[in-house]
Amino acid sequence: MTVANGGRLRGLALRLWTVPVVVAVWEAAARAAESVYFPPPSAILARLRELWFSGPPARLFLSDAALADFLPSLGRMFGGWALACLGGIALGVAIGRSKTLAGYVDPLIEFGRAIPPPTLIPLFVVLFKADARMQVATIVYGVVWPVLVNSVDGARYVDRLHIETARVFGLSRAERLTRVILPAAAPKIFAGLRLSLSLALILMVVAELAGSATSGIGYELLYTQQNFDLPGMWGTIALLGVLGFLLNSSFLVVERRTLSWHRRAGRTK
Amino acid sequence: MLDVVNLTHTYGSGPEAHRALGGIDLSVPEGQLVCVVGPSGCGKSTLLRSIAGLVRPTGGEVRVKGRPVTATPDDLAVVFQDYSRSLFPWMSVRDNVALPLRRRGLDRAARRTAAAEALAAVGLESAAAKYPWQLSGGMQQRVAIARALAYRPSLLLMDEPFGSVDAQTREDLEDLVLAVRGHHRMTIVLITHDIDESVYVGDRVVVLTRAPAVVAADLRVDLPGPRDQIGTRELPAFVHLRSEVSRLVRGRPEFSMTPSQIDKE
């Protein structure tokens, strides 16, 4: 146990040693250059703390501004992502299991996913004004495709023998869906979900930058830039990076748990 | 129990069409264990899949207990050759065995009990909480057999069930089939390409010709029971029957394979 942990720590140290080195070089270079556009990391960190992490410990140090910016942004992002996941999986599995349906909608899907999602922002602005609906619509439209396409793929290529076994043993339609098709398609579906989660973060920011939002992390990014608060701007960028990293890591934890059978079964083959 | 009447099946159409079954007649009374043998690719599996309702035959009829098969009959179970694809890797062994039992109207506790009993019958009571891929091939096929047993079918179909396990395991599984058959009154149709096996486990051996398959011979196996892997196989009657089936499957000129077919095999 301790040996394994020691090994893991050493592995982590080996992988992460470049981070402090890069930060240190950056700090030194920024101080030497004294450019307004490239503040040193220490200044960025200080500004970041002042902006968002100066709140009371009971609130995880989040300031009022942080709550006012993070909550709407994350709410829209997760809301949009969840909607897209539900819709994408439901539609995708239906298309994957029905050749007739696939024949009708395949060309539409190919066209729909070819449209870069930000190009629809002007349309959504006209439709929904600049409120949350516009941002959610942008996120949903942008992230539904990886979920949809992967769900179609996963459901389409369920092993024939799995399906025949289900038929022979008289599983009901609902059982076939929940006990056979969804688990069999899960590895593919999860790949789509993970991709769409990182896309959701990107589109959250894009929608806030382009849609004249009045709150949110993207709005803050624009606001700091317009007020020539460059440490604040850099801080927001760094914060988004950290957020993306955290989202992906937490998703991986869930995925590993859910698909442990898949990982371990693959290893024994 | 099972009646197959002039069953024909053709895959595809036009010049590419492949006639797998050329008019099979077969009648199996309740409680019998019939082995169906024939050359590779002769349509044995097509026959089994038609009986199971997985393939809609192009002609003829299959009746189980007098009722024509259109979808999979209620009390029919199948053990497939490819256990690794037939068991669900995302479920524990116990759940795999218990899954079909909802249909039998059993509650959760009763399903678990039935699964445990079936696993005990195949000697795998300790593997219930494991996943199929944690078990050896022979053990996985035992799980598939347990799943079929728990389902309590009156007709059990086995499609080359021991084709993917080693020789020792194969013999163990053959004896397992004979043993469980003694306990549960079941009619069994076992498809195999192994001539020894067909004579050893069967009450009756049905030999099919090359595709389009018809019944070439229908032999009674009159060997004393209980059968024994070494003793039974030494009996003159066993050796004689084995040779006869062998000749029927590949010995006669009209059944022998052309060199091009051998290349394909």
Side-chain angles (χ1 to χ4, degrees), chain A residues 103-118:
Chain A
Y104 285 122
V105 299
D106 268 351
L108 297 175
I109 291 178
E110 290 307 315
F111 180 72
R113 66 192 278 222
I115 300 173

Side-chain angles (χ1 to χ4, degrees), chain A:
Chain A
M1 191 73 187
T2 45
V3 176
N5 275 346
R8 200 176 295 167
L9 275 179
R10 202 174 312 135
L12 207 64
L14 276 175
R15 274 192 299 138
L16 291 184
W17 69 269
T18 46
V19 175
V21 171
V22 167
V23 171
V25 171
W26 181 7
E27 179 80 34
R31 282 189 188 188
E34 285 184 347
S35 159
V36 213
Y37 301 107
F38 296 98
S42 54
I44 295 171
L45 216 61
R47 181 72 183 126
L48 197 59
R49 213 164 134 193
E50 188 185 335
L51 267 177
W52 282 319
F53 298 102
S54 52
R59 264 187 1 205
L60 298 168
F61 302 102
L62 293 168
S63 65
D64 292 338
L67 291 182
D69 284 326
F70 293 2
L71 288 183
S73 277
L74 293 177
R76 291 189 289 255
M77 190 196 77
F78 282 117
W81 183 63
L83 275 177
C85 290
L86 284 178
I89 293 173
L91 193 63
V93 170
I95 296 169
R97 296 311 305 167
S98 161
K99 274 197 185 130
T100 325
L101 188 57
Y104 285 122
V105 299
D106 268 351
L108 297 175
I109 291 178
E110 290 307 315
F111 180 72
R113 66 192 278 222
I115 300 173
T119 57
L120 286 174
I121 290 179
L123 170 70
F124 292 143
V125 168
V126 173
L127 284 178
F128 304 121
K129 308 296 176 290
D131 64 12
R133 281 179 304 166
M134 165 263 157
Q135 287 148 7
V136 172
T138 307
I139 293 169
V140 169
Y141 186 84
V143 310
V144 75
W145 304 107
V147 183
L148 182 67
V149 171
N150 279 281
S151 302
V152 171
D153 211 35
R156 186 171 289 165
Y157 299 110
V158 176
D159 197 311
R160 198 184 67 166
L161 208 52
H162 285 336
I163 301 287
E164 289 187 343
T165 302
R167 275 173 67 190
V168 161
F169 287 103
L171 299 196
S172 66
R173 282 178 78 89
E175 281 173 334
R176 256 189 255 179
L177 180 66
T178 57
R179 300 310 189 96
V180 181
I181 294 169
L182 283 178
K188 283 262 172 66
I189 294 178
F190 267 87
L193 295 183
R194 200 170 71 223
L195 193 59
S196 69
L197 185 59
S198 48
L199 269 178
L201 181 67
I202 296 171
L203 286 167
M204 173 195 95
V205 178
V206 170
E208 287 175 357
L209 286 178
S212 54
T214 49
S215 67
I217 304 173
Y219 161 77
E220 205 61 44
L221 184 60
L222 214 55
Y223 182 82
T224 48
Q225 183 240 14
Q226 282 162 359
N227 288 284
F228 225 71
D229 174 8
L230 282 159
M233 192 188 86
W234 279 100
T236 313
I237 293 169
L239 179 82
L240 284 166
V242 171
L243 198 58
F245 176 78
L246 287 179
L247 285 174
N248 196 48
S249 312
S250 351
F251 187 87
L252 276 177
V253 170
V254 176
E255 180 178 309
R256 288 229 172 95
R257 285 250 170 102
T258 318
L259 295 181
S260 81
W261 64 267
H262 185 247
R263 232 165 12 105
R264 289 155 68 202
R267 219 181 286 152
T268 56
K269 260 172 204 163

